[in-house]
Every structure is written in structure tokens, then in C-alpha cells.
Amino acid sequence: MSLLYRLAERTDLPALLHLEEECFAQDRMSERSFRQLLAAPSAALLVAERNGALLGYALLLLRRGAAVARLYSLAISAQARGQGVGSGLLEHIEALAVQRDCTRLRLEVRIDNAVAIGLYERRGYRCFGRSAGFYEDGSDAWRYEKTIGVGAAEGSPA
């Protein structure tokens, strides 16, 4: 059965919290944070599911009037890794950002997360900086950005 991408609902909270536990040793989002983000007009929480099982999520943060959106978090369950779930979530979250009039999408990624870095680079994200001590454990993060929307892809019509 194919993947379904949709906006998260409150009923997804237990599965979202399980994903946080599974995917992140630190810097986890709390149930309270998820609840606030589900209700916030400045956030879009997209989930990927198959046969009713939540396989991943992507959290997009937006600021009113800003052309730059931020991918705050991306999590893929262990059973779904390597199956295109992350790429699909990125594709859909980029489309949501474009619908909100954003022209660029930024994110941070741990400098030692080669799998995530590979995903972002394959999807056209380019490293533009480093944030020292970004994570709870003091690890640094690479900062990435992608131009999205009309004319974003090389060779796309103007």
C-alpha cells in the first residue's frame, strides 16, 4: 500500500511521541510542544503513514510575511528508513512552504548525521554555515538552505 502524507492531528500524539523516543536520544520535543505546534498557525506538522502506521513526520515553522521557512524537525521510523519516506516528506513540506509564499527553506542538521546530510544534499539543499554548540549535547550543526517555488529548479521555465 502506498504512503499517505497529511497534516498531523491530535490523535497522532502518541505515535509522534514514540517517533521522538525512537529517533532522538536528546533534543526531543515534548507532548506539550507537539500540542502547541498542532494548534499554531505558524507551524505545519506533516506525517507520513502506511496502513494506519505513522512512519515519519516533518515539522515546518513559518513567520508571517517572511520568505524563509524553517524545517525544524524530520523523523523517520527505523522500519521505514531507506524507503523514500524522508524524501517524500521533504517534497510535501516544500510544497506547503511554497503555498505559504516562502521562497527558501532552511534547516540545521548534526554535523555527524551523514544519512540526513545525504538526503538533504540529494534534494538540492546547500550548506551555508555552521552553528557551534547548536544541540543539547554541545554538538555543532550544519546550516542548509534550498530555494523553493517558481524557478527554483535548474532548467525550470521562468
Side-chain angles (χ1 to χ4, degrees):
M1 183 162 218
S2 64
L3 284 171
L4 169 67
Y5 297 94
R6 61 172 175 79
L7 291 174
E9 302 169 351
R10 288 186 70 141
T11 56
D12 295 316
L13 276 171
L16 289 166
L17 291 168
H18 178 76
L19 264 177
E20 283 293 292
E21 290 285 323
E22 180 185 340
C23 296
F24 305 114
Q26 303 169 118
D27 297 294
R28 291 183 184 132
M29 287 199 300
S30 67
E31 180 175 353
R32 180 179 179 203
S33 293
F34 274 121
R35 285 183 188 280
Q36 289 174 332
L37 291 163
L38 283 168
S42 60
L45 183 55
L46 189 72
V47 296
E49 71 175 333
R50 181 183 296 132
N51 298 330
L54 198 114
L55 300 179
Y57 79 79
L59 175 58
L60 181 70
L61 299 180
L62 306 132
R63 284 193 333 232
R64 181 177 295 183
V68 180
R70 181 173 176 217
L71 177 65
Y72 184 79
S73 186
L74 177 72
I76 310 300
S77 70
Q79 76 216 38
R81 292 181 189 148
Q83 299 176 26
V85 176
S87 186
L89 280 166
L90 281 174
E91 180 180 334
H92 284 81
I93 215 76
E94 290 165 9
L96 279 173
V98 169
Q99 288 172 10
R100 303 273 187 103
D101 297 324
C102 294
T103 58
R104 291 177 291 154
L105 186 56
R106 288 188 174 170
L107 61 92
E108 294 83 21
V109 60
R110 287 179 69 99
I111 62 169
D112 61 356
N113 191 341
V115 172
I117 290 167
L119 170 65
Y120 298 134
E121 289 182 353
R122 282 190 307 276
R123 294 270 324 152
Y125 289 80
R126 297 290 169 248
C127 187
F128 71 93
R130 183 174 182 152
S131 291
F134 184 82
Y135 291 99
E136 195 174 276
D137 67 356
S139 295
D140 293 356
W142 291 121
R143 299 189 70 207
Y144 276 78
E145 180 177 272
K146 179 179 180 179
T147 300
I148 56 177
V150 176
E154 285 186 318
S156 63

